[in-house]
Amino acid sequence: MYSKEFQESLAAVEAARAANIAYEPVRMTAQEKDDLLAAYHPDYKKSEFSTLQIGPNKGEKVPHELCEMLQAHSRISAADIDLDDIKYDVDVLIIGGGGAGASAAIEADEAGAKTMIVTKLRIGDANTMMAEGGIQAADKPNDSPAIHFVDAFGGGHYAAKRDLLAKLVCDAPEAIQWLNDLGVEFDKAPDGTMITTHGGGTSRKRMHAAKDYSGAEIMRTLRDEVINRGIEIVDFTAAIELILDEDGKAAGAVLMNMETHELMVARAKTVIIATGGAGRMHYQGFPTSNHYGATADGLVLGYRVGAKLLYADTLQYHPTGAAYPQQIFGALVTEKVRSLGAKLVNRDGKVFMHPLETRDVAAASIIRECSDRAEGVDTGSGEAVWLDTPMIEAIGGEGTIEKRIPAMMRMFATYGIDIRKEPILVYPTLHYQNGGLDINVNGMTTNVENLFVAGEAVGGIHGRNRLMGNSLLDVIVFGRNAGQNASAKAKDVKVGKLTLAHIAKFDAEREAAGIETDTVSPKLLPDYRNKKNGIK
């Protein structure tokens, strides 16, 4: 049963809806945004970060949980592995089976390289599948890659690597066409023109979508293409350590079967890390919209062999994670809901921010509303604000929700909530790893040769905050880029003697720094066992 306060708040939202539809909040000034972020955004909480004591980013701050993984022991020692017993021998080894890994595999195979994907779950079990709202590309007459660049550069606090962002926006229209040709079912008008909408921080309608399951549709298409090409896929097998050759170049990985724990050696002329994000690390105790395997593995593997990180202290907390009911706590409520007309409303029915501010600003606004302003709604397990979804059909007409966001409608209908008639409760959820491994525009890490990175494991593409729709775009643009360049590089690579000497070197550095830990990494999977109750 809803509490009296809950019912009163819901009534206030219903009563204010007509006025809220007509009301368009003023955008914040740049200074107001900076002040808001500094006061409320999780990235600015100094107490939640540790300073790295070893490795290429020594002296820099990262979340406590990531610091523990980066400075941990390897899961193996060099003595555990016979590097002459090679199980797999390929030109391009791709670690990760999401959108970036699949895109890379397709392009590497197209170039004639012997290619293999290894993934700790199954191909397609990735954050790509979880993406809902769409993919950006400036391919309409009133838009351009230059305008797309300005939107994304400003939204990322002017911190993106310019050459990476330029490639992202300039390659975007062709990426959409590539996906369309592969068979992605984008939303289109009767004349075949792609339907586009706004996203937070965009000055043009450039969001291409497949209803509200865009990532799943893209992943379905990429997975089918990988399988149809006969590219080798090794499922339920994790990369637990990278292998270098005697010259310090990436030359493969040690793989572990997730069920039997059998260790295997994969030798490769080039390696692509496409392991995705870190939501299942649950930084600062936040819920997450991420898939089960998102535990920052690629950052750990790259860091231990000397690859630098960029902006590893920045995470994206999607402003609208489901806050009620408890069964879907943290699940993504796509930004497309707001682009279609729903507004964020506090306990008293007041619209407290423009619905399409950038994600970091929106998240900080909601946190402020639920803390200092005490204008949140008590869900029974925390504070939240309303996202007034009935506004969508009041603005766009009956049937808009079922046509444009059917997956969202079904998710809430499972729990007896009709989002066409009732608002929903939301709170920020840990969504995206803005930082990652530092790469050049060709996709290779800046200081480990033959090691390429694509997708969410990359740092620098988006700066310190990402706009909606640019993550699905970057897995395609930089996935394809990594596959093309890694396969081209492999043609001239002669792999030297394999070595795991970097493990002992890292151990010595840890010991010299006086770090005492029993932790091993990468984490691979989250642990939700209730140890207090003796469940193991």
Side-chain angles (χ1 to χ4, degrees):
M1 291 290 293
Y2 295 146
S3 68
K4 180 182 177 182
E5 290 77 12
F6 189 103
Q7 292 173 336
E8 289 174 347
S9 178
L10 182 57
V13 174
E14 300 283 356
R17 182 169 298 130
N20 285 339
I21 289 171
Y23 173 62
E24 192 69 10
V26 177
R27 294 269 192 176
M28 297 181 194
T29 66
Q31 187 60 55
E32 286 173 336
K33 291 178 183 181
D34 287 345
D35 293 344
L36 175 71
L37 292 171
Y40 296 99
H41 195 277
D43 280 356
Y44 292 76
K45 293 184 68 173
K46 294 181 180 180
S47 62
E48 297 294 336
F49 294 84
S50 298
T51 301
L52 288 165
Q53 296 175 259
I54 58 174
N57 290 80
K58 180 180 178 180
E60 296 182 18
K61 292 187 180 298
V62 297
H64 296 317
E65 300 87 344
L66 180 59
C67 186
E68 182 182 21
M69 291 295 111
L70 292 174
Q71 298 185 156
H73 297 273
S74 172
R75 288 179 167 269
I76 58 171
S77 67
D80 296 331
I81 308 299
D82 180 0
L83 292 174
D84 293 323
D85 184 13
I86 296 169
K87 175 77 171 180
Y88 303 102
D89 202 356
V90 297
D91 296 326
V92 180
L93 173 66
I94 300 169
I95 303 171
S103 297
I106 292 166
E107 290 292 1
D109 181 73
E110 182 69 17
K114 184 180 180 183
T115 305
M116 185 176 86
I117 293 174
V118 59
T119 175
K120 64 183 176 184
L121 298 174
R122 302 165 299 179
I123 184 169
D125 287 338
N127 281 347
T128 303
M129 277 292 294
M130 319 294 281
E132 297 169 349
I135 176 171
Q136 285 202 47
D139 58 1
K140 292 296 178 70
N142 71 332
D143 203 358
S144 71
I147 299 173
H148 189 176
F149 182 98
V150 170
D151 287 348
F153 196 52
H157 301 287
Y158 308 99
K161 293 180 74 171
R162 287 173 178 264
D163 55 350
L164 299 186
L165 182 55
K167 182 169 185 62
L168 180 78
V169 301
C170 289
D171 288 7
E174 200 272 329
I176 294 291
Q177 190 59 52
W178 183 72
L179 289 171
N180 187 66
D181 292 345
L182 284 177
V184 172
E185 296 285 348
F186 286 111
D187 296 338
K188 296 177 182 177
D191 65 356
T193 303
M194 290 198 188
I195 296 170
T196 53
T197 58
H198 273 300
T202 64
S203 60
R204 299 290 188 276
K205 292 182 178 181
R206 69 173 70 97
M207 202 69 57
H208 302 65
K211 295 185 169 56
D212 60 344
Y213 42 79
S214 304
E217 171 61 11
I218 289 171
M219 192 68 245
R220 174 197 66 82
T221 305
L222 295 175
R223 180 196 60 205
D224 287 353
E225 182 68 14
V226 168
I227 293 171
N228 290 339
R229 283 174 170 268
I231 296 169
E232 185 171 10
I233 303 165
V234 184
D235 285 327
F236 300 114
T237 300
I240 60 170
E241 198 65 58
L242 293 179
I243 298 171
L244 304 179
D245 69 9
E246 57 195 344
D247 297 319
K249 301 174 183 177
V254 177
L255 311 180
M256 184 183 76
N257 183 293
M258 293 291 286
E259 292 185 279
T260 67
H261 292 182
E262 176 191 3
L263 299 177
M264 299 160 283
V265 173
R267 181 169 62 183
K269 295 176 180 177
T270 57
V271 177
I272 300 175
I273 289 176
T275 52
R280 293 290 167 172
M281 301 289 283
H282 293 290
Y283 299 133
Q284 301 189 35
F286 270 80
T288 186
S289 63
N290 284 191
H291 84 105
Y292 190 57
T295 50
D297 296 358
L299 275 57
V300 172
L301 295 175
Y303 195 74
R304 200 142 52 216
V305 296
K308 291 181 180 178
L309 301 174
L310 183 64
Y311 304 146
D313 59 324
T314 64
L315 287 303
Q316 184 168 86
Y317 297 81
H318 195 292
T320 54
Y324 181 88
Q326 184 67 29
Q327 294 95 320
I328 53 171
F329 186 50
L332 182 63
V333 175
T334 173
E335 193 167 302
K336 190 174 182 180
V337 175
R338 285 176 284 140
S339 72
L340 290 173
K343 293 179 182 177
L344 290 161
V345 181
N346 67 18
R347 182 184 64 189
D348 298 324
K350 178 184 176 182
V351 176
F352 59 89
M353 59 161 284
H354 192 285
L356 291 179
E357 292 285 6
T358 56
R359 286 179 171 178
D360 55 351
V361 171
S365 294
I366 293 170
I367 292 171
R368 176 183 62 184
E369 211 69 14
C370 292
S371 53
D372 286 6
R373 290 189 175 178
E375 290 289 352
V377 180
D378 184 2
T379 68
S381 57
E383 297 286 309
V385 298
W386 295 106
L387 183 57
D388 198 4
T389 49
M391 282 189 178
I392 295 172
E393 302 214 332
I395 295 169
E398 187 176 346
T400 301
I401 285 176
E402 187 169 9
K403 181 180 179 181
R404 301 296 297 278
I405 49 172
M408 195 60 47
M409 187 178 82
R410 287 194 298 270
M411 180 172 76
F412 280 92
T414 301
Y415 303 98
I417 298 171
D418 185 347
I419 67 172
R420 296 169 297 184
K421 300 176 181 177
E422 303 173 59
I424 57 178
L425 288 160
V426 295
Y427 190 80
T429 184
L430 185 53
H431 184 59
Y432 190 81
Q433 178 178 270
N434 287 322
L437 294 161
D438 192 8
I439 62 168
N440 297 319
V441 74
N442 66 359
M444 191 162 68
T445 57
T446 54
N447 55 334
V448 179
E449 192 170 347
N450 297 340
L451 180 62
F452 294 77
V453 192
E456 198 171 341
V458 173
I461 298 173
H462 309 288
R464 303 186 75 86
N465 179 61
R466 176 183 62 79
L467 299 189
M468 170 193 181
N470 279 347
S471 59
L472 279 180
L473 179 60
D474 93 50
V475 302
I476 305 302
V477 169
F478 285 93
R480 296 180 70 198
N481 181 57
Q484 292 162 357
N485 289 312
S487 57
K489 187 78 160 62
K491 293 177 181 178
D492 301 319
V493 170
K494 185 175 181 180
V495 179
K497 182 176 175 60
L498 302 183
T499 174
L500 290 168
H502 68 274
I503 297 176
K505 180 181 177 183
F506 200 78
D507 287 343
E509 191 176 354
R510 185 192 313 103
E511 185 176 351
I515 300 170
E516 296 184 3
T517 178
D518 295 325
T519 303
V520 297
S521 64
K523 189 172 187 175
L524 301 181
L525 295 174
D527 186 355
Y528 294 119
R529 293 173 296 182
N530 189 341
K531 294 174 182 174
K532 288 184 179 180
N533 293 334
I535 300 172
K536 298 181 180 180

